[in-house]
Amino acid sequence: MPVSFSRWLPGLLLCAALPLSAQAATPAAAEGPAYGPELQGFDYPYTLKHFAFESQGKSLQMGYMDVAANGKANGRTVVLMHGKNFCAATWDSSIKVLSEAGYRVIAPDQIGFCTSSKPDHYQYTFQQLATNTQQLLKALGIQKATLLGHSTGGMLATRYALQYPEQVEQLAMVNPIGLEDWKGLGVPYRTIDQWYQRELKVSAQGIRDYERITYYDGRWKPEFDRWVDMLAGLSKGPGKIQVAWNSALIYDMIFTQPVYYEFKDLKMPTLLLIGTSDTTAIGKDIAPPEVKAKIGHYDVLGKQVAKLIPQSTLVEFPGMGHAPQMEEPAQFHKALLGWLNTSNPVR
């Protein structure tokens, strides 16, 4: 555990397990951008605002974007929940499409991520992150919303929907992790100190290699490099110690707090958007061969979990990976908008 943290260090990111540390930084990575502890220096696609609040005896702030309907307003709001290795900014194309379709769009960075605070000591739970987000929405005057969660954001969106069912009209999840309980399936536990040492070694090349293999089935698009630079720049900037420590705490939260057993309790219309070539699974890199062989199969997991959720719709994207909204935006958004407009939201 790190000995101490400077007060000026705060913010990082939510999604799947990431064996980034095994890679040493290459000269090219070393020459890339470095960003501040709350991602200072990285441009967001829409105006970045900040929500100040108290939590666990600390004064914290959440960075967020609040984008009004650009088309004919339909009076509805979509809240976007990013993944572990993503930020609110990575929703840029989805924000544009949803706004043009008449939705108000709220895209926050969770505490510990990206443009938000990264406290020295914080008890990370999905319940706490859901409570933080609910406080933000309350401050913005939003009483009901549709949730769209990607990767770890899918776990958070599930927890939010279970915690505040009367405030969730619809729930949509994009390749959510947590469709299985890795610890229950025999993945070894990695301590917070082990996660921390691993996260200190994050590099741009390590991020790129991991995402190409795990997220995109060996494929890569030049536009993904911006998001690699975002993560790597945050991890090698002046807040790198705080970023690594908060990241370690978040990984422990993801591994030890499954939502899998509660999918059956969701009460609202729920959409699963699944790229079937995704192989993301927390701890897969240290799992025994027999365990590694049976986890992270999204072509199977999507179908299994759709049967657990009472009002579920499954849309699969054959051959796509962990982030179909980034890989093939037009195809993804057509499916999303079609469901949003035809399912009956809880009013």
Side-chain angles (χ1 to χ4, degrees), residues 47-199:
T47 301
L48 181 66
K49 302 179 181 181
H50 296 89
F51 171 60
F53 66 107
E54 297 290 321
S55 176
Q56 299 184 20
K58 296 175 174 58
S59 297
L60 304 175
Q61 65 85 21
M62 291 176 69
Y64 71 97
M65 292 175 284
D66 182 355
V67 181
N70 192 30
K72 182 180 178 182
N74 59 21
R76 297 172 61 190
T77 300
V78 177
V79 179
L80 306 179
M81 296 180 171
H82 61 81
K84 170 67 179 68
N85 302 315
F86 299 79
C87 291
T90 57
W91 285 112
D92 58 349
S93 65
S94 296
I95 294 172
K96 182 176 186 294
V97 168
L98 288 165
S99 173
E100 290 176 348
Y103 294 90
R104 179 183 181 182
V105 184
I106 310 297
D109 283 324
Q110 297 298 324
I111 294 301
F113 293 76
C114 311
T115 64
S116 294
S117 298
K118 298 171 185 66
D120 292 355
H121 305 285
Y122 201 66
Q123 180 65 46
Y124 278 102
T125 67
F126 284 115
Q127 287 89 340
Q128 179 67 72
L129 297 184
T131 299
N132 297 347
T133 306
Q134 196 270 345
Q135 289 183 44
L136 168 64
L137 298 185
K138 184 178 180 180
L140 295 176
I142 298 169
Q143 298 179 341
K144 276 185 175 285
T146 289
L147 306 183
L148 175 58
H150 172 229
S151 193
T152 298
M155 293 184 77
L156 174 58
T158 298
R159 178 58 59 206
Y160 190 107
L162 291 166
Q163 197 162 319
Y164 304 106
E166 70 286 352
Q167 298 178 28
V168 180
E169 294 183 335
Q170 299 162 303
L171 170 63
M173 295 182 280
V174 189
N175 282 74
I177 63 171
L179 298 182
E180 54 192 344
D181 177 5
W182 311 285
K183 62 182 176 59
L185 293 169
V187 175
Y189 178 69
R190 188 182 249 135
T191 68
I192 292 173
D193 291 322
Q194 288 172 328
W195 278 117
Y196 172 64
Q197 291 301 323
R198 182 174 173 270
E199 292 303 287

Side-chain angles (χ1 to χ4, degrees), residues 53 85 94 107 212 224 226 247 258 263-264 266 268 283 305 315 333:
F53 66 107
N85 302 315
S94 296
R212 180 189 293 112
F224 298 161
R226 167 173 163 79
S247 183
F263 285 129
K264 62 181 175 54
L266 290 169
M268 62 290 300
V305 172
V315 174
H333 291 120

Side-chain angles (χ1 to χ4, degrees), residues 188-344:
Y189 178 69
R190 188 182 249 135
T191 68
I192 292 173
D193 291 322
Q194 288 172 328
W195 278 117
Y196 172 64
Q197 291 301 323
R198 182 174 173 270
E199 292 303 287
L200 285 174
K201 301 172 185 175
V202 164
S203 73
Q205 190 59 49
I207 295 170
R208 188 176 291 106
D209 290 345
Y210 170 79
E211 292 189 355
R212 180 189 293 112
I213 295 168
T214 306
Y215 288 0
Y216 302 114
D217 197 26
R219 300 179 300 275
W220 193 255
K221 291 186 175 183
E223 52 264 39
F224 298 161
D225 286 323
R226 167 173 163 79
W227 311 122
V228 170
D229 288 342
M230 175 188 72
L231 289 179
L234 185 63
S235 294
K236 69 182 177 185
K240 61 184 179 181
I241 298 299
Q242 196 77 345
V243 165
W245 181 245
N246 277 258
S247 183
L249 295 175
I250 291 166
Y251 272 127
D252 188 73
M253 172 187 71
I254 295 168
F255 186 80
T256 61
Q257 299 177 31
V259 296
Y260 173 78
Y261 305 102
E262 296 167 88
F263 285 129
K264 62 181 175 54
D265 299 324
L266 290 169
K267 302 184 185 309
M268 62 290 300
T270 301
L271 174 66
L272 289 169
L273 296 148
I274 304 293
T276 62
S277 291
D278 189 6
T279 60
T280 302
I282 293 279
K284 190 174 184 178
D285 56 315
I286 58 173
E290 66 276 12
V291 175
K292 185 180 298 186
K294 65 182 181 182
I295 60 176
H297 298 289
Y298 275 75
D299 54 337
V300 176
L301 292 171
K303 296 179 180 70
Q304 289 178 343
V305 172
K307 293 178 181 178
L308 300 176
I309 300 173
Q311 300 181 61
S312 69
T313 300
L314 173 65
V315 174
E316 294 183 316
F317 300 100
M320 291 193 207
H322 190 62
Q325 77 277 21
M326 297 162 66
E327 196 171 357
E328 296 293 343
Q331 187 176 342
F332 171 85
H333 291 120
K334 181 179 179 181
L336 173 64
L337 290 177
W339 180 81
L340 290 176
N341 294 332
T342 56
S343 85
N344 294 316

